[in-house]
């Protein structure tokens, strides 16, 4: 096997962009393509995401042919557990990548890149000046609150209240004070285990359904946030645990869109009022705001705009040897 990649990060969260070496895949729609890869090529996901070429918190993407008429490019997202429906940190990096590799013709002062991902079409805008791409902003799919104040019994924690909101993927939201945590790197390992426990407990009692597609109806992870700052500060601190105990280094793009919808539903955020969302990593920040109200099925929804910066960190050429007993990749947790 020989696969080449471009490596980027958005606010510290890695993105491995597969450029060459992936076999041809079947499927008319992007969701059908994911199903085909899951059944026939999942070994390549493990090859690239798992050790020794990746790590437990690696994230990757594969460009595929769009099936929406207005899409400039389409991408499938992958991680340690499988595949996701939306990834905001990836969208921010991929928009720069599309401009810099001439997938989309660059225009000053801002270039529109329409990116198709499994949850829908994401209009993305790349600032561009003097031949250089810069900060990126994207507008989410319709984001909405599924349920609020759901009482969940979490092992070793007890009864807590969670909110469930959608921003391209569904997340359970729980405050730090309910869990005895702080949004800081020193609490990251505890947050991983507790966040996963919250996700598992919530899945047992809440049926997560998307009004427009059953393929989008699953709980992707848990976002732990500092509730004390919401009313008095323009800064929201949060950390996201998703997939199989994967900890996002960025503030999480789809999670930020979901959080914006939740804040709006609770009367804590007004239209076009910008907030900053920060992860556990210093200087890892997104800004977000509501650009308009919307509907998703019978749900009141919003279109959230999230912006951030992505950077190139290198190129890779991955191979395997037939005699290598660990050539398929492995995990240690």
């Amino acid at each position: 096997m020989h696969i080449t990649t471009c490596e980027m990060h958005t606010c510290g969260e890695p993105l491995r962009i597969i450029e060459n070496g992936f076999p041809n895949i079947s499927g008319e729609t992007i969701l059908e393509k994911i199903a085909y890869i899951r059944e026939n090529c999942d070994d390549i996901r493990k090859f690239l995401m798992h050790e020794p070429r990746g790590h437990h918190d690696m994230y990757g993407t594969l460009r595929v042919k769009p099936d929406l008429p207005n899409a400039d490019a389409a991408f499938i997202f992958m991680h340690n557990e499988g595949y996701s429906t939306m990834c905001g940190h990836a969208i921010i990096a991929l928009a720069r990548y599309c401009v810099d590799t001439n997938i989309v013709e660059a225009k000053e002062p801002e270039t529109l890149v329409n990116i198709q991902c499994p949850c829908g079409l994401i209009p993305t805008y790349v600032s561009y000046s003097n031949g250089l791409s810069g900060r990126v902003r994207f507008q989410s799919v319709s984001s909405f609150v599924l349920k609020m104040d759901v009482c969940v019994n979490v092992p070793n924690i007890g009864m807590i209240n969670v909110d469930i909101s959608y921003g391209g993927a569904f997340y359970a939201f729980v405050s730090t004070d309910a869990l005895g945590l702080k949004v800081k790197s020193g609490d990251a390992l505890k947050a991983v285990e507790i966040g996963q426990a919250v996700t598992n407990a919530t899945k047992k009692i809440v049926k997560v359904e998307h009004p427009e597609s059953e393929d989008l109806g699953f709980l992707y992870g848990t976002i732990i946030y500092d509730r004390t700052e919401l009313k008095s500060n323009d800064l929201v601190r949060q950390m996201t645990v998703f997939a199989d105990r994967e900890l996002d280094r960025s503030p999480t793009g789809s999670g930020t869109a979901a959080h914006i919808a939740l804040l709006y539903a609770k009367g804590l955020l007004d239209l076009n009022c910008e907030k900053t969302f920060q992860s556990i990593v210093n200087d890892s920040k997104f800004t977000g705001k509501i650009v308009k109200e919307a509907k998703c099925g019978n749900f009141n929804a919003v279109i959230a705009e999230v912006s951030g910066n992505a950077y190139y960190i290198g190129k890779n050429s991955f191979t395997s040897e037939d005699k290598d007993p660990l050539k398929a990749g492995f995990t240690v947790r």
Side-chain angles (χ1 to χ4, degrees):
M1 191 180 296
H2 180 207
I3 293 178
T4 60
T5 65
C6 175
E7 307 289 323
M8 300 183 72
H9 83 86
T10 304
C11 292
E13 179 70 0
L15 184 67
R16 176 160 289 165
I17 305 169
I18 301 168
E19 293 191 306
N20 293 290
F22 206 94
N24 292 329
I25 57 178
S26 299
E28 293 297 320
T29 69
I30 193 169
L31 292 173
E32 289 174 356
K33 291 180 174 72
I34 291 174
Y36 179 88
I37 293 173
R38 186 181 287 115
E39 292 298 319
N40 298 278
C41 311
D42 196 52
D43 59 322
I44 302 179
R45 174 187 64 84
K46 296 174 182 177
F47 178 85
L48 292 172
M49 298 297 104
H50 292 176
E51 297 183 54
R53 299 168 191 86
H55 53 79
H56 189 81
D57 298 304
M58 179 54 71
Y59 204 96
T61 187
L62 172 70
R63 183 185 173 196
V64 296
K65 183 179 178 180
D67 56 84
L68 295 179
N70 295 326
D72 295 307
F75 293 92
I76 289 170
F77 307 125
M78 60 187 71
H79 46 69
N80 66 19
E81 187 181 45
Y83 306 87
S84 62
T85 56
M86 168 60 179
C87 180
H89 97 271
I91 291 291
I92 290 171
L94 290 170
R96 276 200 73 196
Y97 178 82
C98 285
V99 170
D100 294 338
T101 57
N102 297 314
I103 293 172
V104 174
E105 181 183 359
K107 296 179 181 179
E108 295 189 3
E110 197 172 53
T111 304
L112 170 63
V113 184
N114 283 315
I115 296 178
Q116 182 186 357
C117 55
C119 68
L121 191 68
I122 309 296
T124 309
Y125 302 85
V126 183
S127 61
Y128 193 81
S129 179
N130 297 320
L132 297 174
S133 59
R135 192 168 177 84
V136 177
R137 60 187 179 93
F138 71 84
Q139 294 183 354
S140 71
V141 293
S142 295
S143 302
F144 62 91
V145 177
L146 180 69
K147 291 180 180 292
M148 284 197 288
D149 294 322
V150 179
C151 195
V152 177
N153 189 8
V154 182
N156 301 317
I157 298 293
M159 302 299 293
I160 61 170
N161 286 335
V162 304
D163 304 310
I164 301 169
S165 189
Y166 176 82
F170 285 98
Y171 296 91
F173 286 81
V174 60
S175 65
T176 51
D177 54 345
L179 303 175
L181 293 174
K182 297 289 185 182
V183 181
K184 61 180 183 178
S185 59
D187 277 3
L189 293 179
K190 288 192 293 184
V192 167
E193 298 306 320
I194 292 174
Q196 188 68 55
V198 172
T199 299
N200 294 342
T202 305
K203 284 180 177 179
K204 290 180 180 179
I205 66 168
V206 178
K207 185 176 182 180
V208 175
E209 293 181 303
H210 191 279
E212 296 178 350
S213 172
E214 64 177 273
D215 290 308
L216 304 177
F218 62 95
L219 189 64
Y220 188 40
T222 291
I223 294 180
I224 302 168
Y225 66 95
D226 189 340
R227 186 168 58 184
T228 61
E229 298 179 318
L230 292 182
K231 289 184 179 179
S232 60
N233 202 319
D234 288 334
L235 179 69
V236 180
R237 301 177 193 272
Q238 61 188 30
M239 48 189 170
T240 305
V241 181
F242 67 99
D244 178 18
R245 294 173 297 161
E246 191 159 340
L247 180 67
D248 200 330
R249 273 64 172 164
S250 82
T252 309
S254 57
T256 293
H259 205 166
I260 286 171
L262 180 61
L263 293 175
Y264 186 64
K266 290 190 172 187
L268 297 173
L269 185 64
D270 295 325
L271 282 169
N272 292 306
C273 179
E274 191 171 89
K275 276 189 179 287
T276 299
F277 295 79
Q278 180 176 315
S279 76
I280 59 170
V281 179
N282 289 338
D283 298 320
S284 178
K285 297 175 182 178
F286 290 156
T287 57
K289 63 181 180 180
I290 300 166
V291 294
K292 62 181 178 180
E293 294 178 325
K295 295 287 287 187
C296 189
N298 292 324
F299 290 94
N300 292 324
V302 299
I303 302 298
E305 183 174 278
V306 180
S307 62
N309 290 92
Y311 300 93
Y312 296 95
I313 55 176
K315 294 269 191 177
N316 272 317
S317 178
F318 292 107
T319 60
S320 63
E321 293 186 279
D322 290 340
K323 293 183 179 180
D324 181 359
L326 300 176
K327 65 182 180 180
F330 63 91
T331 61
V332 293
R333 70 171 189 177

